[in-house]
Each structure stands twice: as structure tokens, then as C-alpha cells.
């Protein structure tokens, strides 16, 4: 699995990536605050891996194309079908 981040070319994050390629990424799916227990119950996931800065133009282009195909192509297909530009191939 690949995760892609977009950000500034300079700054704290970029300096940290250049010093160490270890990375983690966390997401909280659901949380439930319980004030009377002074706690929060939550469901989360953390992914660990390596990070690098893309500098190769071909690598960047491939990454953008993969994102476009995954997210934008479906939007185009729905719009084309709704607009009558694409016919239903499976009646």
C-alpha cells in the first residue's frame, strides 16, 4: 500500500524526512468520550513504513495518474452516464 502526501518543499517535515525515513500514520475511526470515567474510548489504526520525497518527475507523474484513475475516473463515468454521453452497456 502507498500513501501520498502533498506539502511544502521546505520546512520542518521535509527536514525530518531527510534525516530519518521511518514514518507512521494514524487515523481515529470512532471515539466515545466518557466524562464520568475521565477517559475516551476509540477505535484507530496506525500504519508504519518508510517515507521518501519524490524528486523524479516520472515517479510524480505515475503517482498523480494513480490517484486520478482511482478517484476522478469514477466521477467522469457517473457524470457521462447521467448526461447521456455514456449508454448503459448492461441493460
Amino acid at each position: 500500500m502507498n500513501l501520498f502526501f502533498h506539502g511544502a518543499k521546505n520546512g520542518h517535515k521535509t527536514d525530518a524526512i531527510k534525516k530519518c525515513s521511518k514514518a507512521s500514520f494514524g487515523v481515529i475511526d470512532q471515539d466515545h468520550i466518557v466524562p464520568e470515567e475521565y477517559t475516551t474510548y476509540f477505535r484507530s489504526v496506525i500504519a508504519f513504513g518508510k517515507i521518501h520525497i519524490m524528486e523524479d518527475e516520472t515517479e510524480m507523474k505515475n503517482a498523480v495518474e494513480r490517484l486520478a484513475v482511482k478517484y476522478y475516473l469514477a466521477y467522469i463515468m457517473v457524470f457521462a452516464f447521467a448526461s447521456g454521453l455514456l449508454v448503459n452497456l448492461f441493460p
Side-chain angles (χ1 to χ4, degrees):
M1 177 190 324
N2 293 309
L3 298 176
F4 297 100
F5 298 92
H6 181 274
K9 291 183 178 184
N10 298 321
H12 177 75
K13 177 185 69 218
T14 305
D15 293 342
I17 293 168
K18 289 177 182 177
K19 288 180 184 174
C20 180
S21 65
K22 290 183 180 179
S24 64
F25 181 75
V27 177
I28 296 175
D29 174 54
Q30 176 181 356
D31 65 350
H32 177 70
I33 300 170
V34 185
E36 58 274 6
E37 295 181 25
Y38 299 101
T39 192
T40 302
Y41 295 101
F42 58 93
R43 182 171 56 194
S44 65
V45 65
I46 301 174
F48 296 92
K50 300 281 185 175
I51 190 169
H52 74 276
I53 298 170
M54 287 188 192
E55 295 177 356
D56 179 65
E57 291 289 328
T58 302
E59 184 182 17
M60 286 187 242
K61 182 179 178 237
N62 289 339
V64 170
E65 285 177 355
R66 288 170 60 191
L67 289 170
V69 166
K70 182 172 183 176
Y71 295 106
Y72 191 65
L73 186 60
Y75 172 77
I76 291 173
M77 297 292 284
V78 169
F79 176 77
F81 185 75
S83 302
L85 300 172
L86 183 67
V87 297
N88 187 355
L89 300 175
F90 305 101

